[in-house]
Amino acid sequence: MTAKSFVFANQKGGVAKTTTTVNLAAYLTAAGRRTLVVDMDPQGNATTSLGVDPRSLSLSIYDVLIDQAPIQKAITLTERVGLDLVPATTDLAGAEVEMARMMARERLLERALHPLLDDYDYILVDEPPSLGLLTINGLTASANGVIIPVQCEYLALEGLSLLLRTIQQVRDVLNERLAIAGVVLTMYDSRTNLAQQVVQEVRQYFPGVVFKTIIPRNVRLSEAPSHGQTILSYAPASAGALAYEALAQEFMQRAEQASPNLIRA
Ligand code: ADP
Ligand code: MG
């Protein structure tokens, strides 16, 4: 079976791309799915959130993309979660400039992942908060689509048209399979009318693709990364954990049904 690959993208920072990538990955792993997380953000938040110390690494995604290091050598097994990670370090901040001079610069990640496709059920790529070459590489490498986390706050939809245009361009030129595989509503605060309004707006804007599971604002989710843990090990009974567990179920159902209901942007 070949891996299903998804990228978590939104050029807005702080919308829970990383939180969603690592916690979803933890529950996919717990459900017995062979899962690889690829950290494409120079901030390396997915790497540290999964308990991996960037200083302990000999190879990272930078070496894979820029120096064609074999990706297998960059894979780290995360101790607590038991999933595989291609980590990122701050080196990656300089990668876009170097990539700009390279041949087939949009396809570096796609090519790097190719030898791994039979080794995993899911490959989840955590994107940086920008629409540059790193993000384009993620979008080009994704066979099964983009997941867009959207924070339930004022102006939640602002800037999304830019992301949608980028997705459209990548689909036209680089990856015709690219679809919007899902939208995840995050940091929902049930006490505010605004949050409920945003949920409605986002569901109207993306008919049929928004996951039913809504991720609540939950302090445990924000504490877990500083302990190098996912919510599954840090606070498995918290509201945040239950939400990501439900999201993982919904995600697997969508991804594993015979004819995936992928909606185009
Ligand atoms: P991004 O990767 O999109 O920049 P993060 O996943 O890093 O966003 O989340 C931004 C911040 O919000 C982090 O400090 C994270 O711990 C926190 N956070 C994410 N989701 C939640 C949530 N549901 N409740 C509370 N805090 C959250
Ligand atoms: Mg992030």
Side-chain angles (χ1 to χ4, degrees):
M1 198 191 107
T2 161
K4 297 185 194 310
S5 51
F6 294 89
V7 334
F8 294 75
N10 187 335
Q11 79 274 23
K12 214 186 258 189
V15 298
K17 289 180 288 298
T18 302
T19 305
T20 301
T21 306
V22 300
N23 289 305
L24 189 57
Y27 283 101
L28 295 177
T29 305
R33 305 305 191 273
R34 297 166 303 164
T35 305
L36 175 72
V37 169
V38 180
D39 191 348
M40 284 289 275
D41 185 349
Q43 294 178 69
N45 292 338
T47 300
T48 48
S49 298
L50 288 167
V52 172
D53 179 355
R55 289 165 305 183
S56 71
L57 299 166
S58 51
L59 288 177
S60 71
I61 189 70
Y62 174 88
D63 305 284
V64 173
L65 296 173
I66 305 298
D67 294 329
Q68 276 81 50
I71 194 163
Q72 291 90 341
K73 290 198 174 158
I75 293 174
T76 306
L77 176 69
T78 62
E79 265 168 43
R80 266 215 190 78
V81 194
L83 58 75
D84 285 355
L85 167 74
V86 182
T89 62
T90 48
D91 291 352
L92 194 59
E96 289 196 336
V97 175
E98 297 179 57
M99 284 159 104
R101 292 194 296 264
M102 294 169 72
M103 297 282 280
R105 55 184 176 259
E106 297 92 352
R107 297 200 184 275
L108 300 171
L109 181 64
E110 181 186 30
R111 287 213 309 231
L113 290 176
H114 203 253
L116 300 179
L117 295 181
D118 285 330
D119 297 347
Y120 295 98
D121 300 309
Y122 289 105
I123 298 176
L124 306 186
V125 179
D126 185 26
E127 298 269 54
S130 70
L131 294 173
L133 261 179
L134 288 168
T135 291
I136 304 285
N137 263 268
L139 294 172
T140 304
S142 163
N144 298 81
V146 194
I147 310 269
I148 307 175
V150 174
Q151 190 179 344
C152 298
E153 54 146 32
Y154 185 56
L155 299 179
L157 291 167
E158 201 192 50
L160 276 180
S161 59
L162 210 57
L163 173 63
L164 298 185
R165 202 177 323 140
T166 304
I167 291 170
Q168 177 78 53
Q169 285 166 347
V170 171
R171 184 159 62 229
D172 288 348
V173 180
L174 293 160
N175 178 9
E176 63 177 21
R177 294 173 302 181
L178 189 62
I180 296 181
V183 173
V184 185
L185 292 158
T186 67
M187 296 186 231
Y188 178 79
D189 182 347
S190 59
R191 291 165 305 183
T192 70
N193 291 332
L194 175 68
Q196 293 163 34
Q197 215 173 303
V198 171
V199 169
Q200 279 183 358
E201 269 173 31
V202 174
R203 286 189 170 140
Q204 268 166 21
Y205 194 81
F206 293 103
V209 272
V210 182
F211 286 104
K212 283 196 206 76
T213 309
I214 298 177
I215 309 300
R217 190 171 274 288
N218 177 246
V219 67
R220 295 297 194 186
L221 284 169
S222 59
E223 291 167 358
S226 62
H227 299 268
Q229 294 190 48
T230 66
I231 199 67
L232 173 58
S233 62
Y234 181 69
S238 63
L242 300 180
Y244 274 109
E245 187 174 17
L247 182 70
Q249 289 301 327
E250 203 184 343
F251 176 84
M252 284 186 284
Q253 255 166 32
R254 243 192 228 192
E256 295 171 18
Q257 71 189 15
S259 54
N261 176 29
L262 299 179
I263 308 237
R264 309 210 127 201

